[in-house]
Amino acid sequence: MSRRRMRLVAFLLSGPTAHHHGMWRHPETDNAFLTPEYYEHIARVLEGGFFDALFFADILALMDFYKGSYETVLSRGGQMGLLDPLPMLAQMARVTKHIGLGGSVSSSFVHAFQTARTFATMDHLSGGRMAWNIITTSSTPQWANFGLPPMPRDERYDVADEVVEACTRLWDSWEADALIVDKASGRFADATKVHRVDYAGRYVRTRGPLTVPRSPQGWPVLMQAGSSPRGRAFAARWAEIIFTLQHATADMQAFRTDIHARMEQRGRRPEECQILVSVDPIVGETRAIAEEKAAYLNELVDAELGLALISAHIGTDLSHYPLHQPLGDVETSEGSRGSFDVILQGTRSGGLTLGDAAKRFAVSELCPQVVGTPADIADQLQAMFDSGGCDGFVLTPTTFPGCYEQFSRGVVPELQRRGLVRTRYEGRTLRENLRA
């Protein structure tokens, strides 16, 4: 009986940082995030490391919760999406053959027909390697950029359910053999195999059919990262990959057990969804070198930037609270409760104050840092994986691109020797590789 395979997905964000807020300040980080070569190179590195996929998170506003201004986040190099991920993914598709390519698109702002059309197009251009990271968007600044008032969390997920329903029907509006392209007979397509959709929900209406023929995967792999009860219900219905921020093995196990129970209620099997937890790797030639690298890197973070970014995640200006106050005493908006609960989960065990939490959040968003030699890191990942806490990992960079280069050259071969990571891509599409 073959060993369960560990899934690896890389987290990307088109800006100065991903999770580690000191990343852009590190001497080895290449800050060429406005150039195509930057993204083409990392796509090749990750495919050489046999990652299942890479995906781009996205932020549709300069976040200004903290002190009512985006000055802190912008001037100190916080999380921001400086470029639209989808054109970058098209470039990355051209320089790779196997790795999955994920893009974040908000179901709150983009109509189902446009989303279906874009991802079907990208799935053709990538040869069946696309994933859609479905985000519902909670923060007021992002809603304001689209000229809309923010929507309550549960209603956002109600909209998302309809958007995904409509998209799947649009993707299915072309049968697989509808396109003929027979020069001799003059038949381009069989119109009887292309169907109207006529989807009419409470929030979404679309007639169809889609203008794009059926793509290699049928539709993209569906990703999601909701943490609230409503977000988990949505994930249990749709997600094939879940990206989650958990802080200890027990938290991971509880989350995965909960998702599997919800999936069972939906008639889905656990193997239909890969649950991946976030970790930040720091690789060294020896354990002492790795720990020294981590200490140096972690000193580059800005605690006030951490406060500003927690403020953005939870929708509350933390500049009004004293730094010695427990984070659990902070009042937050209902729409960001899932994010706040995840952050609280990472502070309770250590009894962290707001100031302590800000520093820790700036380091790794309270997710595990895995530090050591390639063998040390493989040991840590294998322990979490074998515990039943996850199906694999979303790795977030600590330096760029060196973090991913070191992980691919050092840690991946160690995981391969243990039979945990593939040594070749068996499938033709992302979905096939996830299930191989």
Side-chain angles (χ1 to χ4, degrees):
M1 187 173 178
S2 62
R3 204 193 196 297
R4 190 167 68 102
R5 178 169 291 165
M6 182 186 293
R7 305 300 173 183
L8 300 176
V9 172
F11 180 103
L12 300 174
L13 187 60
S14 60
T17 188
H19 275 183
H20 200 293
H21 303 165
M23 184 180 84
W24 72 275
R25 298 183 60 198
H26 195 279
E28 294 181 1
T29 287
D30 178 4
N31 288 312
F33 38 71
L34 299 181
T35 67
E37 294 82 7
Y38 181 86
Y39 300 103
E40 291 170 353
H41 172 72
I42 201 61
R44 293 188 184 101
V45 166
L46 294 168
E47 184 167 86
F50 296 96
F51 277 61
D52 291 271
L54 59 86
F55 87 100
F56 280 94
D58 200 15
I59 303 171
L60 299 168
L62 292 174
M63 305 307 283
D64 57 3
F65 284 100
Y66 187 70
K67 298 181 178 179
S69 169
Y70 48 73
E71 191 276 335
T72 301
V73 172
L74 183 58
S75 67
R76 303 189 188 202
Q79 285 182 328
M80 57 192 85
L82 297 177
L83 299 176
D84 183 338
L86 290 173
M88 295 185 289
L89 288 167
Q91 285 187 291
M92 296 165 103
R94 292 287 293 165
V95 299
T96 56
K97 294 181 179 179
H98 306 290
I99 192 168
L101 305 163
S104 298
V105 171
S106 177
S107 57
S108 297
F109 304 137
V110 183
H111 191 276
F113 189 89
Q114 182 60 58
T115 296
R117 187 171 189 257
T118 297
F119 277 98
T121 298
M122 293 286 288
D123 205 48
H124 277 293
L125 296 180
S126 66
R129 294 187 282 138
M130 286 306 296
W132 172 21
N133 183 40
I134 307 161
I135 53 176
T136 60
T137 311
S138 62
S139 68
T140 302
Q142 296 181 75
W143 282 84
N145 280 353
F146 286 83
L148 297 169
M151 187 179 287
R153 180 191 59 235
D154 286 1
E155 190 173 6
R156 294 198 317 269
Y157 279 109
D158 292 343
V159 172
D161 272 322
E162 289 194 5
V163 169
V164 180
E165 282 179 357
C167 283
T168 58
R169 295 189 194 181
L170 287 163
W171 289 319
D172 281 342
S173 63
W174 285 68
E175 296 182 30
D177 57 350
L179 201 61
I180 299 172
V181 196
D182 185 341
K183 293 181 179 180
S185 68
R187 294 193 72 205
F188 180 75
D190 184 345
T192 67
K193 295 184 177 182
V194 181
H195 310 287
R196 293 276 188 216
V197 171
D198 294 323
Y199 181 88
R202 180 182 174 190
Y203 303 97
V204 178
R205 298 179 68 89
T206 184
R207 185 181 67 162
L210 195 62
T211 55
V212 183
R214 189 170 182 84
S215 74
Q217 291 189 114
W219 62 68
V221 169
L222 302 179
M223 296 181 60
Q224 202 266 344
S227 300
S228 68
R230 183 63 181 90
R232 295 184 189 202
F234 180 85
R237 181 180 181 187
W238 297 109
E240 297 169 82
I241 298 174
I242 294 176
F243 166 40
T244 181
L245 279 63
Q246 303 295 328
H247 310 289
T249 299
D251 301 324
M252 299 173 193
Q253 292 168 330
F255 180 86
R256 188 164 179 256
T257 297
D258 179 67
I259 292 294
H260 285 172
R262 292 173 184 270
M263 289 178 65
E264 185 177 5
Q265 292 172 357
R266 281 279 179 183
R268 298 183 66 201
R269 301 185 308 277
E271 58 267 26
E272 293 178 47
C273 181
Q274 307 292 324
I275 298 173
L276 310 182
V277 298
S278 177
V279 294
D280 295 8
I282 300 176
V283 185
E285 293 81 359
T286 68
R287 191 173 303 176
I289 289 173
E291 290 171 351
E292 187 174 349
K293 288 172 68 173
Y296 174 78
L297 182 64
N298 293 345
E299 281 303 310
L300 297 177
V301 304
D302 185 316
E304 187 172 12
L305 180 57
L307 277 179
L309 290 166
I310 294 178
S311 297
H313 276 269
I314 68 177
T316 298
D317 183 359
L318 295 178
S319 67
H320 299 306
Y321 292 85
L323 294 181
H324 63 268
Q325 178 169 324
L327 186 58
D329 293 345
V330 172
E331 295 181 4
T332 185
S333 66
E334 180 271 342
S336 302
R337 188 67 213 183
S339 296
F340 190 48
D341 286 343
V342 168
I343 294 170
L344 281 178
Q345 183 189 86
T347 65
R348 284 191 182 114
S349 62
L352 300 184
T353 65
L354 181 56
D356 295 332
K359 180 80 171 180
R360 286 272 302 277
F361 192 84
V363 166
S364 65
E365 298 203 359
L366 303 169
C367 294
Q369 275 192 331
V370 287
V371 180
T373 66
D376 291 332
I377 291 176
D379 286 343
Q380 294 170 66
L381 297 181
Q382 184 172 354
M384 288 184 271
F385 180 71
D386 285 345
S387 77
C390 63
D391 299 298
F393 301 91
V394 171
L395 286 92
T396 61
T398 48
T399 60
F400 198 92
C403 171
Y404 284 139
E405 292 170 336
Q406 293 156 11
F407 189 92
S408 295
R409 287 197 303 263
V411 182
V412 168
E414 181 64 33
L415 293 170
Q416 289 172 326
R417 280 191 287 273
R418 303 179 189 200
L420 290 165
V421 169
R422 66 163 53 87
T423 56
R424 64 186 179 89
Y425 291 96
E426 297 93 340
R428 182 176 61 97
T429 67
L430 170 58
R431 186 172 283 112
E432 288 173 357
N433 278 318
L434 285 172
R435 295 177 179 178

